[in-house]
């Protein structure tokens, strides 16, 4: 199912970055992307840090990121959130073996351009990339219906959606706030001016729709309180 367009422009996918730590699946997915989306140049990353290094490189060329949520150096939606912050203009398609509706809703709330279960047929991948190329958000049919009507949306979904609006620097500062640090200490730790920290804090509260640092911390805790299946985390 497709949802409201994020962007009226048609996106042309020529290159992709697959972020997954299973080599055989990466090979199979690469062939699928070449067949259904005409993507020719495909790079791989087997962990989040490698993916971040590639998207932040001066010669970065990926048009789309294809992300597995269950990576060795990631818990929950952290990988998706950090990639969104590092590459805010790139669509991120989550391809995961965890197809629980709660996971799908959370991923879309965090800014994923689409979600495709790993076991899907090629036709679903084709439909997903065609929709995302049109600027639409793609989710499996049943989950899409609940998203469209608002059924099943939780306070955590809303918290995740708000946190996904933060830039990477703002997210770093919010982490420091959650650790109990004041602006002066944050400025020292991040090697920036205290006035810059204050400006970021103001922007953070505006984006989160809160009026105090305490409310911002509570919202961050709400987002990180996972109701997701045990399979979400690697042993």
């Amino acid at each position: 199912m497709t949802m409201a367009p994020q962007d009226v422009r048609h996106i042309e996918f020529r290159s992709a970055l697959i972020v997954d730590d299973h080599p055989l699946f990466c090979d199979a997915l690469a062939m699928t992307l070449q067949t259904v989306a005409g993507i020719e140049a495909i790079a791989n990353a087997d962990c989040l840090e490698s993916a971040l290094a590639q998207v932040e490189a001066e010669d970065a060329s990926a048009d789309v990121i294809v992300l597995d949520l269950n990576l060795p150096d990631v818990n929950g939606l952290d990988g998706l959130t950090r990639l969104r912050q590092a590459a805010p203009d790139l669509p991120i398609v989550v391809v995961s073996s965890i197809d629980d509706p709660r996971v799908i809703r959370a991923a879309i709330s965090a800014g994923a351009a689409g979600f495709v279960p790993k076991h899907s047929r090629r036709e679903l991948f084709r439909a997903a990339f065609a929709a995302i190329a049109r600027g639409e958000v793609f989710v499996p049919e049943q989950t899409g219906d609940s998203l469209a009507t608002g059924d099943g949306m939780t306070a955590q979904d809303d918290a995740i959606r708000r946190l996904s609006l933060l830039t990477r620097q703002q997210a770093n500062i919010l982490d420091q706030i959650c650790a109990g640090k004041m602006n002066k200490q944050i400025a020292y730790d991040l090697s920036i001016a205290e006035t810059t920290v204050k400006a970021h804090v103001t922007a953070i509260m505006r984006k989160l729709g809160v009026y105090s640092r305490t409310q911002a911390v509570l919202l961050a805790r709400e987002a990180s309180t996972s109701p997701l299946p045990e399979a979400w985390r690697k042993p």
Side-chain angles (χ1 to χ4, degrees), residues 181-232:
K181 296 181 181 179
M182 302 306 293
N183 290 351
K184 185 175 182 178
Q185 182 62 46
I186 295 172
Y188 177 81
D189 290 344
L190 300 182
S191 300
I192 57 178
E194 187 174 351
T195 53
T196 302
V197 175
K198 291 179 180 178
H200 278 308
V201 171
T202 299
I204 289 167
M205 290 194 291
R206 183 177 68 251
K207 287 183 178 181
L208 298 184
V210 299
Y211 301 97
S212 71
R213 297 164 77 100
T214 299
Q215 288 180 323
V217 170
L218 291 174
L219 188 74
R221 289 176 179 171
E222 178 69 47
S224 64
T225 304
S226 176
L228 303 176
E230 288 298 323
W232 180 274

Side-chain angles (χ1 to χ4, degrees), residues 39 76 83 90 96 112 126 138 140-141 145 191 216:
I39 297 174
L83 281 169
L90 287 185
S96 176
R126 189 189 308 278
F138 183 89
E141 192 74 30
D145 290 340
S191 300

Side-chain angles (χ1 to χ4, degrees), residues 93-105:
V93 184
V94 173
V95 178
S96 176
S97 59
I98 308 171
D99 59 357
D100 187 296
R102 293 171 297 173
V103 178
I104 299 173
R105 286 197 300 269

Side-chain angles (χ1 to χ4, degrees), residues 15-34 39-57 60-68 71-73 83 95 118:
S15 59
L17 172 63
I18 298 176
V19 188
D20 194 296
D21 65 336
H22 295 281
L24 291 179
F25 178 76
C26 286
D27 291 342
L29 182 56
M31 288 188 289
T32 296
L33 297 183
Q34 290 168 341
I39 297 174
E40 298 178 358
I42 297 177
N44 297 98
D46 61 2
C47 65
L48 177 62
E49 291 305 320
S50 175
L52 289 171
Q54 292 191 51
V55 300
E56 293 173 343
S61 60
D63 298 316
V64 60
I65 298 172
V66 182
L67 173 69
D68 182 13
L71 296 170
D73 56 345
L83 281 169
V95 178
K118 276 190 173 182

